[in-house]
Amino acid sequence: MQAILKPSRRLLKNYLIPIKHNVQLHKLEIPALSLAPGYQPQEVEINNLPDTPLEAKLVTQRKIINRGPFRMLLPPPNVTGDLHLGHALMAIVQDVLCRYHHNLGYDVEWIPGTDHAGIATQVVVEKQLFKKLGITRHDLGREKFLEHTWQWKNEKGLGILDDLKKLGCMLTWNKEYFTMNEQQIEAVQVAFIKLFEDGLITRKNSLVNWSCALESAVSDMEVETIELKGPTDICVPGYQHKVPFGNIYEFSYRLCNQKDEIIVSTTRPETMLGDVAVAVHPDDPRYIKYRNIDNVSLWHPFRQEPIPLIFDINVDPDFGSGAVKITPAHDQNDFQIAESHLLKSIPVFTSKGTVVEGFEVFKGIPRFKAREKILNILKEMQLLRTVKPHAMNLPICSRSKDIIEYMLCPQWYLHCQPMANEAMSEIRSGRVQIVPSNFELDWYHWLEDCHDWCISRQLWWGHQIPAYEAVDSVGKSCWVAAKNEVEARAKAQNILNTSDFSIRRDEDVLDTWFSSALLPFSIHNWPAVEYKQHYPLDLMETGHDILFFWVARMAMLGLKLTGEMPFKKILLHGIVCDAHGRKMSKSLGNIVTPQQVIQGASLQSMTNKLQKAEAGGTLTTEEYQKSEKGLQKMFPNGIKECGTDALRFTLCSHNIKSHFINFDIDECYTNKLFLNKIWQATRFTLISAQNLKFSLDDISTMHAIRMNKWDKWILSRLAYTLEKCDEGFKTYNLHYATAALKTFFYNNLCDVFLETTKEDIKNIEMSGYMHLATLTACLVWGLRAMQPFTPFIAKELLLRLPENISMNTKEFQNTAVEAEISKILEICQHVRQLKSQNQISKKHAPKLYLYAQNDGAKNMLNKHLSQIKALTMVDTVDLDVVTDALEANTFNFYSTGGHLCVFGLTVNETYQAQTDKLEFGMEINKRKLEKLQAELQRYRLRVNNEGFMKSASKKVQEKSLEKIKQLEVEIQNILNLRR
């Protein structure tokens, strides 16, 4: 198993040499027993924080196998706060994969960084300024505001990186980046200029998602939708009182030169100032009479001018009255209809959300107050008809919580479709894989009709767009892309053919996703050719929710700017939810940070953190109140300390490729107890090693000791576990590996092997030496397999165990021994269940009677009597062959395969109700018979089915026939006992 490292040489150096079917031991160097009585995560983690990038060699000194590079990029967390559990999942999964590849002998490069997060950061800093100083960014000015933001970023950024280190992430810290450092600025400018000069970036007027609170366009990802079932009052930034939504309004447009009218339906009466038409469906019978009349027009009551009635198949005749107002400056569908009918657009609102000049009665009024005034005037004009409840979807800016306004304004756009076609080709050809593969459909869905990307934002924090507008003395103008004004002037002069012009740089900044899309090559000093030494990435691991917003854009720009896909494989993980499957949100109060899980947190401390966020301006008072209420409901007793390793192990215990990952803090605490189990097993091993006190004189004696079947069984289980771990890593099913490790340590090693061997070890029996050697090998190799998931405890324990234990898993795989021990364990399990059902404990001094089907079975069972006694916790075990006279003395029986084991239990005379137990045991026998007969019937129906015999493989058919024979033997055994 090359994927698992040998631990460092220390303490028990040269204690055990390679374990084969015979064991050899060198002179024991007795260690100073420094392992604490119990597992204390914080102490272990403080002692084992990761060193510089993979320089600690993951607690090992070994011969490095050079398999070449393995490159990954940590998706940069925003510098807007602490890491959340979604970040933790992402970082831990990537760290586990990096450690695994490092253990295989790859030269791992995993680069960390943070994202400037334009909108998110500016919002947080603005809130903080207003909360603490009562000022806005406009009061400070752009330069001073940016200084304040850089200071805030430097403080927050350090906390994020510290959190990553505390998670145990072995990142390549000497290559850490920030998306606005000098190297990134250079890459962003070069990329923009090249795309501009290739004709892919253009400036045009178009509708965008607009936040009036931010005074900026926002991306689709930053738009949330609230589903309203009817009238609902919503808090809107800048308004003292809540604003009502969830109504549909009907008002009249009167036909010019006629007494007739058309009633229009709208959920947004405030935009009617910009109406340029009324539209109906051409086949709507209510309005078909107007199709034969030329130039039907309606009178606009506020602009005092006619607007046309138009017919368009895109109108939904079932919506309201079937007639809709067309406001192209503030509605996406209206904009498209207006373009097709060659209608102009009339803006209604400014960037701040107030009514524009030109509407004197409403000028400067905020849009939703203007709505009230418009409705009142329409009512006075006797044009308002009805106001009715209406279900609707309301778009909200996730950053500012403002109601999204669709605004028509000049923006920079990147034409994506040509690049999108290439990105689709990479997936279709199989050159790049998406895991899980079902997300390929999403890939094609997004890219087959890839709209132009609005890359400009009206912010101050971010990469200022390297574009300049030059205007000559006669008003002729042009836009050029350049790194600085000198370069821009030279380019503009060539276009305008004059040196007499003014020039200004665009004040907008680029969408954060633009700079992030360049990261696979910009972090390696692109456009300098040295980037090719580290490009492309071997794996891009991230959340499926940003497959388009980030991954696809990396693919498009990587292909365009480097000619090569930026990664060889894409691995997508799910969204972390709470234990009930709910997304973590402030309103539910179910958000927890990794450090709260790791260190534990009282309800009061979590409430204090909310209070601090509210005082700092990052939480509104309403958000604080909702969060506090949710915390009290979710965590009335706070959160128990779990430790980093338990958090890592728990997150990886889920299928990371699932759409949602439900994180349960109770499960995390259970995994802390699981790690304590491993800790105690290691401590027992170290103490036992001290007690045995080997010397070189013992070696000749030890040569004669061979492993018994229980040693061979546990090593076979270890070999199986290591193979499952490798399988889990190779298929990105990390939960396969964690499940196998948990089964091995809990069920196999601690609950079985330790229980069956500890007496021999404690009593310094000769076989105890062999058991101790086997136990040591299992701990060493098991901890090596655990190390990618639980690096802190693995390092702490491996430093105290011998390093020179090698293992060939195939050599120790032993199906025959596993099958035999499995039968013994099944017998023990049923005995324990019977004891539990009948409340028989050790104090009752139970005696176990075992009856084998024949002498061969008796001989097999006889070899395991001491282990059966230990595992069933009885005082004595008697073994005999089954006879016809057995039934009267039988308490219960169990048969496995064709191998019958009848067992009886008796207790000392002080324990009563023996008759009841006998009857209970006979009832169990009856239920067992019924179950076996039903199973036999199912298998017989299967093999008699013609379709099964045609479609099933020969191996499957043989297994089914073998199962039928086995069931027939078991049923006959039971029937024989009942005669």
PDB file of all heavy atoms in Angstrom, residues 1-4 712 715-724 726 781 806-814 818:
ATOM      1  N   MET A   1       0.850  -1.192   0.000  1.00  0.00           N
ATOM      2  CA  MET A   1       0.000   0.000   0.000  1.00  0.00           C
ATOM      3  C   MET A   1       0.881   1.237   0.000  1.00  0.00           C
ATOM      4  O   MET A   1       1.241   1.753   1.047  1.00  0.00           O
ATOM      5  CB  MET A   1      -0.896  -0.017   1.227  1.00  0.00           C
ATOM      6  CG  MET A   1      -1.902  -1.156   1.218  1.00  0.00           C
ATOM      7  SD  MET A   1      -2.978  -1.024  -0.205  1.00  0.00           S
ATOM      8  CE  MET A   1      -3.762   0.504   0.130  1.00  0.00           C
ATOM      9  N   GLN A   2       1.243   1.701  -1.183  1.00  0.00           N
ATOM     10  CA  GLN A   2       2.161   2.833  -1.263  1.00  0.00           C
ATOM     11  C   GLN A   2       1.520   4.123  -0.786  1.00  0.00           C
ATOM     12  O   GLN A   2       2.204   5.089  -0.502  1.00  0.00           O
ATOM     13  CB  GLN A   2       2.634   2.990  -2.710  1.00  0.00           C
ATOM     14  CG  GLN A   2       3.478   1.809  -3.164  1.00  0.00           C
ATOM     15  CD  GLN A   2       3.718   1.855  -4.649  1.00  0.00           C
ATOM     16  OE1 GLN A   2       2.858   2.262  -5.398  1.00  0.00           O
ATOM     17  NE2 GLN A   2       4.885   1.453  -5.071  1.00  0.00           N
ATOM     18  N   ALA A   3       0.193   4.100  -0.727  1.00  0.00           N
ATOM     19  CA  ALA A   3      -0.483   5.349  -0.350  1.00  0.00           C
ATOM     20  C   ALA A   3      -0.349   5.661   1.122  1.00  0.00           C
ATOM     21  O   ALA A   3      -0.661   6.745   1.557  1.00  0.00           O
ATOM     22  CB  ALA A   3      -1.965   5.257  -0.695  1.00  0.00           C
ATOM     23  N   ILE A   4       0.112   4.701   1.928  1.00  0.00           N
ATOM     24  CA  ILE A   4       0.186   4.912   3.364  1.00  0.00           C
ATOM     25  C   ILE A   4       1.640   5.029   3.783  1.00  0.00           C
ATOM     26  O   ILE A   4       2.460   4.177   3.477  1.00  0.00           O
ATOM     27  CB  ILE A   4      -0.473   3.731   4.117  1.00  0.00           C
ATOM     28  CG1 ILE A   4      -1.832   3.397   3.497  1.00  0.00           C
ATOM     29  CG2 ILE A   4      -0.614   4.044   5.581  1.00  0.00           C
ATOM     30  CD1 ILE A   4      -2.809   4.530   3.575  1.00  0.00           C
ATOM     31  N   LYS A 712      -4.196 -13.741  12.224  1.00  0.00           N
ATOM     32  CA  LYS A 712      -4.322 -13.738  10.767  1.00  0.00           C
ATOM     33  C   LYS A 712      -5.614 -13.030  10.336  1.00  0.00           C
ATOM     34  O   LYS A 712      -5.635 -12.319   9.325  1.00  0.00           O
ATOM     35  CB  LYS A 712      -4.312 -15.180  10.244  1.00  0.00           C
ATOM     36  CG  LYS A 712      -2.986 -15.896  10.451  1.00  0.00           C
ATOM     37  CD  LYS A 712      -3.082 -17.338   9.989  1.00  0.00           C
ATOM     38  CE  LYS A 712      -1.775 -18.096  10.242  1.00  0.00           C
ATOM     39  NZ  LYS A 712      -1.866 -19.518   9.842  1.00  0.00           N
ATOM     40  N   LEU A 715      -5.271  -9.175  10.595  1.00  0.00           N
ATOM     41  CA  LEU A 715      -4.402  -8.661   9.536  1.00  0.00           C
ATOM     42  C   LEU A 715      -5.091  -8.743   8.174  1.00  0.00           C
ATOM     43  O   LEU A 715      -4.889  -7.882   7.308  1.00  0.00           O
ATOM     44  CB  LEU A 715      -3.076  -9.419   9.517  1.00  0.00           C
ATOM     45  CG  LEU A 715      -2.153  -9.115  10.705  1.00  0.00           C
ATOM     46  CD1 LEU A 715      -0.950 -10.041  10.697  1.00  0.00           C
ATOM     47  CD2 LEU A 715      -1.693  -7.662  10.680  1.00  0.00           C
ATOM     48  N   SER A 716      -5.924  -9.769   7.986  1.00  0.00           N
ATOM     49  CA  SER A 716      -6.698  -9.861   6.748  1.00  0.00           C
ATOM     50  C   SER A 716      -7.728  -8.733   6.674  1.00  0.00           C
ATOM     51  O   SER A 716      -7.940  -8.130   5.621  1.00  0.00           O
ATOM     52  CB  SER A 716      -7.402 -11.219   6.671  1.00  0.00           C
ATOM     53  OG  SER A 716      -8.085 -11.356   5.444  1.00  0.00           O
ATOM     54  N   ARG A 717      -8.351  -8.456   7.829  1.00  0.00           N
ATOM     55  CA  ARG A 717      -9.300  -7.333   7.872  1.00  0.00           C
ATOM     56  C   ARG A 717      -8.571  -6.012   7.614  1.00  0.00           C
ATOM     57  O   ARG A 717      -9.111  -5.106   6.967  1.00  0.00           O
ATOM     58  CB  ARG A 717     -10.008  -7.272   9.230  1.00  0.00           C
ATOM     59  CG  ARG A 717     -10.895  -8.442   9.567  1.00  0.00           C
ATOM     60  CD  ARG A 717     -11.914  -8.724   8.496  1.00  0.00           C
ATOM     61  NE  ARG A 717     -12.760  -7.579   8.237  1.00  0.00           N
ATOM     62  CZ  ARG A 717     -13.414  -7.369   7.107  1.00  0.00           C
ATOM     63  NH1 ARG A 717     -13.275  -8.220   6.099  1.00  0.00           N
ATOM     64  NH2 ARG A 717     -14.184  -6.305   6.953  1.00  0.00           N
ATOM     65  N   LEU A 718      -7.361  -5.880   8.130  1.00  0.00           N
ATOM     66  CA  LEU A 718      -6.562  -4.676   7.883  1.00  0.00           C
ATOM     67  C   LEU A 718      -6.273  -4.531   6.395  1.00  0.00           C
ATOM     68  O   LEU A 718      -6.406  -3.450   5.826  1.00  0.00           O
ATOM     69  CB  LEU A 718      -5.263  -4.746   8.672  1.00  0.00           C
ATOM     70  CG  LEU A 718      -4.235  -3.645   8.379  1.00  0.00           C
ATOM     71  CD1 LEU A 718      -4.782  -2.271   8.742  1.00  0.00           C
ATOM     72  CD2 LEU A 718      -2.926  -3.912   9.133  1.00  0.00           C
ATOM     73  N   ALA A 719      -5.877  -5.640   5.749  1.00  0.00           N
ATOM     74  CA  ALA A 719      -5.578  -5.601   4.319  1.00  0.00           C
ATOM     75  C   ALA A 719      -6.808  -5.177   3.525  1.00  0.00           C
ATOM     76  O   ALA A 719      -6.721  -4.354   2.601  1.00  0.00           O
ATOM     77  CB  ALA A 719      -5.090  -6.968   3.854  1.00  0.00           C
ATOM     78  N   TYR A 720      -7.958  -5.713   3.892  1.00  0.00           N
ATOM     79  CA  TYR A 720      -9.210  -5.342   3.227  1.00  0.00           C
ATOM     80  C   TYR A 720      -9.492  -3.854   3.419  1.00  0.00           C
ATOM     81  O   TYR A 720      -9.886  -3.151   2.485  1.00  0.00           O
ATOM     82  CB  TYR A 720     -10.361  -6.173   3.795  1.00  0.00           C
ATOM     83  CG  TYR A 720     -11.729  -5.704   3.364  1.00  0.00           C
ATOM     84  CD1 TYR A 720     -12.261  -6.069   2.129  1.00  0.00           C
ATOM     85  CD2 TYR A 720     -12.492  -4.877   4.197  1.00  0.00           C
ATOM     86  CE1 TYR A 720     -13.516  -5.624   1.731  1.00  0.00           C
ATOM     87  CE2 TYR A 720     -13.755  -4.428   3.806  1.00  0.00           C
ATOM     88  CZ  TYR A 720     -14.260  -4.801   2.577  1.00  0.00           C
ATOM     89  OH  TYR A 720     -15.497  -4.360   2.193  1.00  0.00           O
ATOM     90  N   THR A 721      -9.290  -3.374   4.634  1.00  0.00           N
ATOM     91  CA  THR A 721      -9.554  -1.965   4.941  1.00  0.00           C
ATOM     92  C   THR A 721      -8.669  -1.049   4.114  1.00  0.00           C
ATOM     93  O   THR A 721      -9.129  -0.032   3.566  1.00  0.00           O
ATOM     94  CB  THR A 721      -9.323  -1.702   6.444  1.00  0.00           C
ATOM     95  OG1 THR A 721     -10.194  -2.545   7.204  1.00  0.00           O
ATOM     96  CG2 THR A 721      -9.585  -0.249   6.797  1.00  0.00           C
ATOM     97  N   LEU A 722      -7.393  -1.382   4.010  1.00  0.00           N
ATOM     98  CA  LEU A 722      -6.475  -0.541   3.235  1.00  0.00           C
ATOM     99  C   LEU A 722      -6.863  -0.518   1.763  1.00  0.00           C
ATOM    100  O   LEU A 722      -6.744   0.528   1.095  1.00  0.00           O
ATOM    101  CB  LEU A 722      -5.046  -1.039   3.411  1.00  0.00           C
ATOM    102  CG  LEU A 722      -4.493  -0.996   4.845  1.00  0.00           C
ATOM    103  CD1 LEU A 722      -3.057  -1.493   4.875  1.00  0.00           C
ATOM    104  CD2 LEU A 722      -4.585   0.405   5.426  1.00  0.00           C
ATOM    105  N   GLU A 723      -7.335  -1.629   1.252  1.00  0.00           N
ATOM    106  CA  GLU A 723      -7.774  -1.651  -0.139  1.00  0.00           C
ATOM    107  C   GLU A 723      -9.025  -0.794  -0.338  1.00  0.00           C
ATOM    108  O   GLU A 723      -9.167  -0.085  -1.340  1.00  0.00           O
ATOM    109  CB  GLU A 723      -8.040  -3.096  -0.591  1.00  0.00           C
ATOM    110  CG  GLU A 723      -6.768  -3.907  -0.815  1.00  0.00           C
ATOM    111  CD  GLU A 723      -7.001  -5.103  -1.716  1.00  0.00           C
ATOM    112  OE1 GLU A 723      -8.169  -5.460  -1.939  1.00  0.00           O
ATOM    113  OE2 GLU A 723      -6.010  -5.690  -2.179  1.00  0.00           O
ATOM    114  N   LYS A 724      -9.952  -0.842   0.635  1.00  0.00           N
ATOM    115  CA  LYS A 724     -11.148  -0.007   0.546  1.00  0.00           C
ATOM    116  C   LYS A 724     -10.782   1.479   0.604  1.00  0.00           C
ATOM    117  O   LYS A 724     -11.420   2.305  -0.048  1.00  0.00           O
ATOM    118  CB  LYS A 724     -12.124  -0.352   1.673  1.00  0.00           C
ATOM    119  CG  LYS A 724     -12.775  -1.715   1.557  1.00  0.00           C
ATOM    120  CD  LYS A 724     -13.622  -1.851   0.301  1.00  0.00           C
ATOM    121  CE  LYS A 724     -14.897  -1.054   0.335  1.00  0.00           C
ATOM    122  NZ  LYS A 724     -15.754  -1.270  -0.849  1.00  0.00           N
ATOM    123  N   ASP A 726      -7.948   2.834  -0.505  1.00  0.00           N
ATOM    124  CA  ASP A 726      -7.429   3.214  -1.819  1.00  0.00           C
ATOM    125  C   ASP A 726      -8.551   3.352  -2.842  1.00  0.00           C
ATOM    126  O   ASP A 726      -8.571   4.282  -3.653  1.00  0.00           O
ATOM    127  CB  ASP A 726      -6.427   2.160  -2.301  1.00  0.00           C
ATOM    128  CG  ASP A 726      -4.997   2.585  -2.030  1.00  0.00           C
ATOM    129  OD1 ASP A 726      -4.820   3.651  -1.405  1.00  0.00           O
ATOM    130  OD2 ASP A 726      -4.067   1.872  -2.425  1.00  0.00           O
ATOM    131  N   TRP A 781      -0.430   0.703  10.638  1.00  0.00           N
ATOM    132  CA  TRP A 781      -0.990   0.799   9.296  1.00  0.00           C
ATOM    133  C   TRP A 781      -2.371   1.443   9.303  1.00  0.00           C
ATOM    134  O   TRP A 781      -2.723   2.189   8.369  1.00  0.00           O
ATOM    135  CB  TRP A 781      -1.029  -0.584   8.647  1.00  0.00           C
ATOM    136  CG  TRP A 781       0.308  -0.934   8.077  1.00  0.00           C
ATOM    137  CD1 TRP A 781       1.288  -1.669   8.661  1.00  0.00           C
ATOM    138  CD2 TRP A 781       0.819  -0.496   6.821  1.00  0.00           C
ATOM    139  NE1 TRP A 781       2.383  -1.730   7.845  1.00  0.00           N
ATOM    140  CE2 TRP A 781       2.131  -1.027   6.700  1.00  0.00           C
ATOM    141  CE3 TRP A 781       0.316   0.269   5.789  1.00  0.00           C
ATOM    142  CZ2 TRP A 781       2.919  -0.798   5.591  1.00  0.00           C
ATOM    143  CZ3 TRP A 781       1.105   0.497   4.670  1.00  0.00           C
ATOM    144  CH2 TRP A 781       2.396  -0.039   4.581  1.00  0.00           C
ATOM    145  N   SER A 806       6.565  -3.106   7.651  1.00  0.00           N
ATOM    146  CA  SER A 806       6.083  -3.071   6.275  1.00  0.00           C
ATOM    147  C   SER A 806       5.026  -4.151   6.100  1.00  0.00           C
ATOM    148  O   SER A 806       4.946  -5.097   6.869  1.00  0.00           O
ATOM    149  CB  SER A 806       7.232  -3.302   5.287  1.00  0.00           C
ATOM    150  OG  SER A 806       7.827  -4.562   5.520  1.00  0.00           O
ATOM    151  N   MET A 807       4.207  -3.974   5.068  1.00  0.00           N
ATOM    152  CA  MET A 807       3.104  -4.904   4.902  1.00  0.00           C
ATOM    153  C   MET A 807       2.724  -5.022   3.448  1.00  0.00           C
ATOM    154  O   MET A 807       2.583  -4.018   2.755  1.00  0.00           O
ATOM    155  CB  MET A 807       1.890  -4.438   5.716  1.00  0.00           C
ATOM    156  CG  MET A 807       0.693  -5.364   5.603  1.00  0.00           C
ATOM    157  SD  MET A 807      -0.657  -4.795   6.631  1.00  0.00           S
ATOM    158  CE  MET A 807      -1.852  -6.090   6.305  1.00  0.00           C
ATOM    159  N   ASN A 808       2.560  -6.241   2.994  1.00  0.00           N
ATOM    160  CA  ASN A 808       2.022  -6.518   1.673  1.00  0.00           C
ATOM    161  C   ASN A 808       0.590  -7.006   1.867  1.00  0.00           C
ATOM    162  O   ASN A 808       0.360  -8.076   2.397  1.00  0.00           O
ATOM    163  CB  ASN A 808       2.868  -7.587   0.966  1.00  0.00           C
ATOM    164  CG  ASN A 808       2.381  -7.854  -0.449  1.00  0.00           C
ATOM    165  OD1 ASN A 808       1.222  -7.639  -0.770  1.00  0.00           O
ATOM    166  ND2 ASN A 808       3.288  -8.332  -1.290  1.00  0.00           N
ATOM    167  N   THR A 809      -0.359  -6.193   1.456  1.00  0.00           N
ATOM    168  CA  THR A 809      -1.757  -6.508   1.781  1.00  0.00           C
ATOM    169  C   THR A 809      -2.199  -7.843   1.194  1.00  0.00           C
ATOM    170  O   THR A 809      -2.959  -8.589   1.818  1.00  0.00           O
ATOM    171  CB  THR A 809      -2.680  -5.408   1.263  1.00  0.00           C
ATOM    172  OG1 THR A 809      -2.464  -5.229  -0.127  1.00  0.00           O
ATOM    173  CG2 THR A 809      -2.423  -4.105   1.981  1.00  0.00           C
ATOM    174  N   LYS A 810      -1.735  -8.141  -0.013  1.00  0.00           N
ATOM    175  CA  LYS A 810      -2.164  -9.394  -0.653  1.00  0.00           C
ATOM    176  C   LYS A 810      -1.674 -10.601   0.138  1.00  0.00           C
ATOM    177  O   LYS A 810      -2.342 -11.633   0.200  1.00  0.00           O
ATOM    178  CB  LYS A 810      -1.640  -9.449  -2.088  1.00  0.00           C
ATOM    179  CG  LYS A 810      -2.316  -8.431  -3.005  1.00  0.00           C
ATOM    180  CD  LYS A 810      -1.843  -8.570  -4.437  1.00  0.00           C
ATOM    181  CE  LYS A 810      -2.550  -7.553  -5.326  1.00  0.00           C
ATOM    182  NZ  LYS A 810      -2.087  -7.643  -6.736  1.00  0.00           N
ATOM    183  N   GLU A 811      -0.510 -10.463   0.768  1.00  0.00           N
ATOM    184  CA  GLU A 811       0.044 -11.566   1.550  1.00  0.00           C
ATOM    185  C   GLU A 811      -0.844 -11.914   2.744  1.00  0.00           C
ATOM    186  O   GLU A 811      -0.916 -13.064   3.165  1.00  0.00           O
ATOM    187  CB  GLU A 811       1.446 -11.197   2.024  1.00  0.00           C
ATOM    188  CG  GLU A 811       2.130 -12.271   2.853  1.00  0.00           C
ATOM    189  CD  GLU A 811       3.504 -11.849   3.326  1.00  0.00           C
ATOM    190  OE1 GLU A 811       3.967 -10.769   2.899  1.00  0.00           O
ATOM    191  OE2 GLU A 811       4.093 -12.587   4.126  1.00  0.00           O
ATOM    192  N   PHE A 812      -1.536 -10.915   3.269  1.00  0.00           N
ATOM    193  CA  PHE A 812      -2.321 -11.133   4.481  1.00  0.00           C
ATOM    194  C   PHE A 812      -3.803 -11.335   4.214  1.00  0.00           C
ATOM    195  O   PHE A 812      -4.549 -11.589   5.152  1.00  0.00           O
ATOM    196  CB  PHE A 812      -2.119  -9.968   5.442  1.00  0.00           C
ATOM    197  CG  PHE A 812      -0.777  -9.981   6.111  1.00  0.00           C
ATOM    198  CD1 PHE A 812       0.249  -9.191   5.636  1.00  0.00           C
ATOM    199  CD2 PHE A 812      -0.530 -10.814   7.192  1.00  0.00           C
ATOM    200  CE1 PHE A 812       1.493  -9.221   6.240  1.00  0.00           C
ATOM    201  CE2 PHE A 812       0.706 -10.846   7.796  1.00  0.00           C
ATOM    202  CZ  PHE A 812       1.729 -10.042   7.316  1.00  0.00           C
ATOM    203  N   GLN A 813      -4.227 -11.236   2.988  1.00  0.00           N
ATOM    204  CA  GLN A 813      -5.625 -11.517   2.686  1.00  0.00           C
ATOM    205  C   GLN A 813      -5.882 -13.008   2.832  1.00  0.00           C
ATOM    206  O   GLN A 813      -5.195 -13.832   2.221  1.00  0.00           O
ATOM    207  CB  GLN A 813      -5.962 -11.054   1.274  1.00  0.00           C
ATOM    208  CG  GLN A 813      -5.972  -9.544   1.135  1.00  0.00           C
ATOM    209  CD  GLN A 813      -6.150  -9.085  -0.287  1.00  0.00           C
ATOM    210  OE1 GLN A 813      -5.968  -9.849  -1.225  1.00  0.00           O
ATOM    211  NE2 GLN A 813      -6.481  -7.815  -0.474  1.00  0.00           N
ATOM    212  N   ASN A 814      -6.825 -13.370   3.650  1.00  0.00           N
ATOM    213  CA  ASN A 814      -7.067 -14.773   3.976  1.00  0.00           C
ATOM    214  C   ASN A 814      -8.579 -14.988   4.090  1.00  0.00           C
ATOM    215  O   ASN A 814      -9.171 -14.845   5.147  1.00  0.00           O
ATOM    216  CB  ASN A 814      -6.378 -15.131   5.296  1.00  0.00           C
ATOM    217  CG  ASN A 814      -6.257 -16.628   5.503  1.00  0.00           C
ATOM    218  OD1 ASN A 814      -7.173 -17.384   5.159  1.00  0.00           O
ATOM    219  ND2 ASN A 814      -5.142 -17.048   6.084  1.00  0.00           N
ATOM    220  N   GLU A 818     -11.073 -15.577   7.404  1.00  0.00           N
ATOM    221  CA  GLU A 818     -12.144 -14.597   7.617  1.00  0.00           C
ATOM    222  C   GLU A 818     -13.509 -15.273   7.686  1.00  0.00           C
ATOM    223  O   GLU A 818     -14.363 -14.905   8.506  1.00  0.00           O
ATOM    224  CB  GLU A 818     -12.131 -13.543   6.505  1.00  0.00           C
ATOM    225  CG  GLU A 818     -10.971 -12.567   6.619  1.00  0.00           C
ATOM    226  CD  GLU A 818     -11.342 -11.176   6.123  1.00  0.00           C
ATOM    227  OE1 GLU A 818     -12.432 -10.713   6.479  1.00  0.00           O
ATOM    228  OE2 GLU A 818     -10.517 -10.568   5.426  1.00  0.00           O
TER     229      GLU A 818
END
